[in-house]
Amino acid sequence: MPDTYATLRSVLTSAFRVPEEEIRPELTLAQLDLDSLALTELVLILHERLGVKIDAEHASRGTTLARIVEHLDALRAGTTVGTGDAGAAVGPHGTGGAGPADRASATGGAVTAAHS
């Protein structure tokens, strides 16, 4: 298993041209001048390299590199809260079911209610 911090450093230096000497665990992504587009790209690259995907909550501009590494390590170890069954679908409301917007897209845009 590759070292998470080393992988993050490598991504920051190669993909985002952050000088290696400027990368420190206590720095936030904002302090490294990563904007929202860069954060999206960072999440995708880390997913490709490490096989786990972090959500926006754990990759915001205010997140330190140490917190990102901690979260990635927990995901890789399968120890995060709410990981559950990898094959289970989770809707936008934290349940296994789809929310109204998901049902609307699945029915061609119409949300229908059952009438008795």
Side-chain angles (χ1 to χ4, degrees):
M1 193 182 305
D3 177 60
T4 308
Y5 185 69
T7 301
L8 179 58
R9 286 178 65 94
S10 172
V11 169
L12 290 170
T13 57
S14 63
F16 301 101
R17 307 284 188 244
V18 177
E20 194 165 342
E21 63 275 3
E22 291 182 17
I23 299 173
R24 295 187 314 275
E26 70 276 7
L27 293 180
T28 65
L29 295 171
Q31 290 172 313
L32 295 174
D33 292 326
L34 297 182
D35 61 18
S36 59
L37 184 59
L39 295 181
T40 301
E41 188 175 352
L42 176 65
V43 167
L44 292 173
I45 294 169
L46 290 173
H47 183 217
E48 288 174 1
R49 297 248 184 118
L50 300 172
V52 292
K53 185 174 182 184
I54 57 177
D55 56 34
E57 174 186 333
H58 293 96
S60 68
R61 288 179 43 84
T63 308
T64 65
L65 299 183
R67 288 289 293 163
I68 292 171
V69 168
E70 178 183 304
H71 182 64
L72 285 167
D73 283 341
L75 287 173
R76 294 171 75 197
T79 59
T80 59
V81 175
T83 56
D85 180 17
V90 177
H93 304 290
T95 65
D102 295 320
R103 286 192 296 273
S105 64
T107 59
V111 176
T112 57
H115 296 282
S116 347

